[in-house]
Amino acid sequence: MNKTFESLQKVILKYSVKAIFLFVVLSTLLTGCSSQAEKAIDIDLDNRSYTEARSNSQEVSDVIYLGFDRRLETKEDVKMYVPLLNYLEKETGYQFKVHVTPVNSSVVEELGLEKIQMAAIGTLGYLQASENYDAIITVKGLNMEDKDRYKAAIVTRPNSPIKTISDIRGRSFAFGDPASTQGHLIPRIMLSQKGIEISSLKYFQNFASHSEVANAVMSGRFEAGGMQDTLAKALESEGLLKIVAVSEEYPSSGIAFSKGVNKDVIDRITQALVKFDPKGKEKAYLYHWERSEMPHGFTYANDQDYYELRNWADKFGLLKKVEGEIK
């Protein structure tokens, strides 16, 4: 363990929920993803066993597979979603399994190809799946303030001369995953609103997660970056980053379904998701649900909620399907 991580860990461990979250994020930065993430796997809810995913996505099965955008270390993400699926099994009578998407694919593509029937997915991922595969979204996540919206932040180092977004013109910039709303789409919007397109940057790079963006900026490899606002605020409070600007609110992540799922099945699952109470009777059975993008549960969503973001994504060319993958 290097000295930088040790010093960060000492500061972080002074805090409770935030400490746990940051510890996991920074641990992931230094240790990398689990080897389990290198291939598609399914996780049985009864024994949590890892098995190779179905090779034939068209096979008839009563199992509903949930995919997810990676946020933490893969096994931590799985532990977080398994209790939700246990709850859905109890409420709907359907059988569920967690599906881990391989690194050479995407949740969007697997939803479109019906390798998974539903996904915990970011807004941009949903827009891509809707545009290219006719996926639908029925619920959005509620944040810690019971809002069905989220923000992004543009950050720099504490001693950076960058004070406003306009100061970023001609500088290097770290974006999140190309399919990330908070790490890519919203920061692009924030820059564009100030007349800065990616051609105006010195250079830029996409990273797989918000934590990797934070590390790229903290280490000095990039002069600024775009990321999730909650993580940015936590790191700023520890003096590790400086927030240049926070975006306006946009519709949050949610649960999307592939076009082949029966409407009655979707309706039943949707009702159960809206009823889900992570602050109340379900709380005792959950695993760090506060780390999810829907810590206070779900509310109804429809495609009209995403009109503004769809227009921006289309302007930036982010809805076009790339042969072989979509990101």
Side-chain angles (χ1 to χ4, degrees):
M1 186 179 293
N2 61 40
K3 292 182 179 179
T4 301
F5 179 61
E6 288 178 345
S7 62
L8 289 174
Q9 182 182 355
K10 288 178 182 178
V11 174
I12 290 167
L13 290 177
K14 294 188 298 181
Y15 299 84
S16 55
V17 172
K18 181 173 72 176
I20 296 170
F21 175 68
L22 288 175
F23 179 81
V24 171
V25 167
L26 293 168
S27 296
T28 302
L29 263 176
L30 297 174
T31 61
C33 292
S34 164
S35 61
Q36 294 286 2
E38 299 306 314
K39 60 183 180 181
I41 56 175
D42 298 329
I43 293 88
D44 187 281
L45 302 192
D46 293 327
N47 55 28
R48 312 289 177 88
S49 62
Y50 288 76
T51 60
E52 290 190 11
R54 302 132 285 128
S55 59
N56 181 1
S57 65
Q58 300 302 318
E59 68 181 6
V60 177
S61 174
D62 293 330
V63 177
I64 297 170
Y65 291 89
L66 170 82
F68 57 89
D69 288 335
R70 294 178 190 157
R71 291 177 51 78
L72 308 172
E73 198 272 340
T74 305
K75 288 184 179 179
E76 290 295 296
D77 282 327
V78 169
K79 289 178 183 177
M80 188 171 67
Y81 285 114
V82 164
L84 173 67
L85 296 188
N86 283 330
Y87 161 81
L88 289 177
E89 284 196 348
K90 179 183 66 176
E91 291 294 320
T92 67
Y94 303 138
Q95 182 181 355
F96 295 84
K97 284 188 179 181
V98 179
H99 175 84
V100 179
T101 300
V103 293
N104 62 348
S105 185
S106 70
V107 173
V108 171
E109 184 178 17
E110 294 207 318
L111 194 67
L113 298 177
E114 299 186 46
K115 292 183 178 180
I116 55 177
Q117 286 69 51
M118 56 188 290
I121 194 169
T123 301
L124 179 55
Y126 159 66
L127 291 174
Q128 292 172 334
S130 171
E131 179 76 12
N132 294 284
Y133 300 111
D134 297 323
I136 65 169
I137 194 166
T138 63
V139 294
K140 295 176 289 186
L142 293 171
N143 64 21
M144 290 292 190
E145 299 174 343
D146 283 326
K147 293 182 178 181
D148 59 348
R149 305 179 73 77
Y150 57 14
K151 304 176 184 179
I154 289 179
V155 299
T156 188
R157 294 184 303 285
N159 61 351
S160 170
I162 296 174
K163 299 188 183 302
T164 68
I165 294 178
S166 297
D167 296 332
I168 295 173
R169 184 183 299 275
R171 298 180 184 270
S172 57
F173 198 91
F175 289 102
D177 187 276
S180 171
T181 310
Q182 291 173 293
H184 186 196
L185 176 56
I186 298 177
R188 287 277 299 272
I189 294 171
M190 296 170 74
L191 292 171
S192 184
Q193 287 173 333
K194 297 297 182 180
I196 302 174
E197 306 301 334
I198 56 174
S199 59
S200 307
L201 300 172
K202 184 178 181 181
Y203 58 88
F204 67 92
Q205 183 175 332
N206 290 96
F207 292 87
S209 67
H210 299 297
S211 56
E212 289 186 24
V213 170
N215 188 53
V217 177
M218 287 188 293
S219 66
R221 289 181 289 139
F222 286 80
E223 295 170 275
M227 60 188 297
Q228 182 189 64
D229 67 313
T230 52
L231 178 58
K233 290 174 182 176
L235 293 173
E236 184 181 56
S237 71
E238 305 303 337
L240 300 172
L241 285 175
K242 177 177 73 176
I243 293 177
V244 177
V246 175
S247 74
E248 59 185 274
E249 295 180 327
Y250 293 97
S252 60
S253 300
I255 302 293
F257 294 85
S258 65
K259 67 177 182 179
V261 181
N262 181 278
K263 183 181 183 301
D264 290 339
V265 173
I266 292 176
D267 289 345
R268 192 164 182 175
I269 295 173
T270 298
Q271 291 170 12
L273 288 169
V274 172
K275 181 182 172 185
F276 176 61
D277 184 10
K279 300 177 293 179
K281 59 182 181 179
E282 265 69 60
K283 182 177 181 179
Y285 306 101
L286 298 177
Y287 179 83
H288 290 306
W289 189 252
E290 74 279 356
R291 298 177 187 168
S292 75
E293 292 197 330
M294 49 281 296
H296 282 192
F298 302 91
T299 188
Y300 290 106
N302 60 69
D303 191 67
Q304 287 71 34
D305 297 336
Y306 303 93
Y307 179 80
E308 181 181 2
L309 283 181
R310 187 185 295 276
N311 286 340
W312 278 109
D314 187 49
K315 174 186 174 181
F316 297 142
L318 299 178
L319 299 183
K320 297 177 182 177
K321 181 179 178 182
V322 178
E323 197 64 33
E325 68 172 346
I326 178 167
K327 280 194 174 183

